[in-house]
Amino acid sequence: MFTGIVEALGTITDVKTEGTNRHFTVAGPFAHELQIDQSVAHDGVCLTVVAVDAAAGTHVVTAIDETLQKTNLGSWAPGRRINLERCLAANGRFDGHIVQGHVDLTAVCESVTDQNGSWLYRFRHEPGPSRVTVEKGSICINGTSLTCFDSTDESFAVAIIPYTYEHTTFRQLQAGDLVNLEFDIVGKYVAKMLGR
């Protein structure tokens, strides 16, 4: 389980295809602390570490076809920067919201507006059951826990403060880009119980 509080930025250094799987080599500041079989969120996608090269500061994760179809990982190439978060330690503070690392679908960034001190991002996604956002509710975008507003069945907006802008991949996000969305787990369960 994760919290949506991005720990660090990583960089994709290599991509290899094997059958329907894709192996990503990621350079990051805490590679030397990782272990094989550990779960790490990569732009909000929970992936298992399958190899670590502590000396090179890299680790390798594998995405299967299902993951490639449901997320934006299919477009990842060397040089891409991604948000990284290790799983929540049982004795740690819970700063964001409950994030499973199970991406529901991708959304399109419709616009980015500089508001002279913050940035306003608008996103659009396919409507459907359990794809629920509420005013001032939680949403996870590329692994970042955020508060949404201007919420409809197929769109919402978030505001990004300077710290988040500087320490996540939001500063490279542009209109037209695809992002990974994970809707709030509580909202998904409520929607299911209500038959939505």
Side-chain angles (χ1 to χ4, degrees), residues 172-190:
Q172 70 190 29
L173 190 61
Q174 299 177 354
D177 288 349
L178 280 181
V179 298
N180 296 320
L181 288 188
E182 181 181 332
F183 295 95
D184 182 47
I185 186 65
V186 176
K188 289 191 282 189
Y189 277 115
V190 170

Side-chain angles (χ1 to χ4, degrees), residues 57-96:
T58 62
H59 68 277
V60 179
V61 291
T62 301
I64 62 173
D65 186 59
E66 170 76 4
T67 304
L68 296 171
Q69 296 299 320
K70 292 277 177 69
T71 68
N72 65 8
L73 271 68
S75 65
W76 286 10
R80 182 187 179 101
R81 300 280 277 167
I82 59 172
N83 296 319
L84 297 175
E85 182 191 358
R86 289 173 287 185
C87 56
L88 176 66
N91 63 348
R93 291 188 182 276
F94 204 101
D95 291 324

